[in-house]
Amino acid sequence: MEKKLLTAAKHAHGRAYAPYSKFQVGAAILADDGKIYSGGNVENAAYPNGVCAETSAISAMVLGGARKIRAIAVVAGGPKLVTPCGGCRQRIAEFADPETPVHICGPEGLKTTFTIAELLPASFGKRNLKAKKAGLNPKRARSRTAR
């Protein structure tokens, strides 16, 4: 795993906002543009409104103009492996190839690596959707709705 990726994930871990759970998580993505994008979990007193570190990093990547995850590192404390939640696994799969590495780390460094296919086997994705449904052009349908 690239040292810069782990360093960025550790930095995000340290800056995460977790005043309620006290469980900070950081994530960093190596994207197709060669840049590293990071994010930390951000909790909210209304728990369902929090944001996971992986989601935060993916948002940073997309806003930075990249569209493909080459590798992702997730850093959390504690002796057990902390892997992405189900929703984040789906979000990672949206921007990654099945063999994209997901590095699971603690503050001390790498614990293990999975591929996204190992974490989310038989995933639902773009291949499951049809570009045209019931004869409608999805782009046109959206633009009409937006007016």
Side-chain angles (χ1 to χ4, degrees), residues 57-72:
I58 290 168
S59 294
M61 178 191 77
V62 169
L63 291 175
R67 292 291 186 269
K68 192 79 166 173
I69 298 172
R70 287 188 188 163
I72 183 168

Side-chain angles (χ1 to χ4, degrees), residues 59 76 92 132:
S59 294
I92 293 166
K132 293 185 179 182

Side-chain angles (χ1 to χ4, degrees), residues 6 8 15 18 38 62-63 66 71 76 83 88 107 110 147:
L6 178 58
R15 299 198 68 155
S38 59
V62 169
L63 291 175
T83 60
C88 286
L110 180 67
R147 289 184 195 166

Side-chain angles (χ1 to χ4, degrees), residues 1 5-13 23-30 37-41 52-55 57-58 69 71-77 80-85 88-89 92 101-114 116 119:
M1 175 183 41
L5 188 63
L6 178 58
T7 299
K10 283 183 182 180
H11 180 74
H13 171 262
F23 192 77
Q24 294 173 282
V25 181
I29 291 169
L30 174 61
Y37 299 91
S38 59
N41 61 318
C52 295
E54 300 89 339
T55 298
I58 290 168
I69 298 172
I72 183 168
V74 179
V75 174
K80 296 187 179 189
L81 294 180
V82 178
T83 60
C85 71
C88 286
R89 291 175 191 206
I92 293 166
V102 181
H103 304 292
I104 308 302
C105 310
E108 70 287 348
L110 180 67
K111 291 184 176 185
T112 192
T113 299
F114 297 98
I116 190 59
L119 290 174

Side-chain angles (χ1 to χ4, degrees), residues 85-94 98 102 114-125 127:
C85 71
C88 286
R89 291 175 191 206
Q90 182 67 42
R91 288 178 189 93
I92 293 166
E94 178 75 14
V102 181
F114 297 98
T115 65
I116 190 59
E118 290 172 320
L119 290 174
L120 190 64
S123 67
F124 179 87
R127 70 188 177 288

Side-chain angles (χ1 to χ4, degrees), residues 17 20 43-49:
Y17 179 75
Y20 307 106
E43 292 181 349
N44 188 286
Y47 280 117
N49 292 324

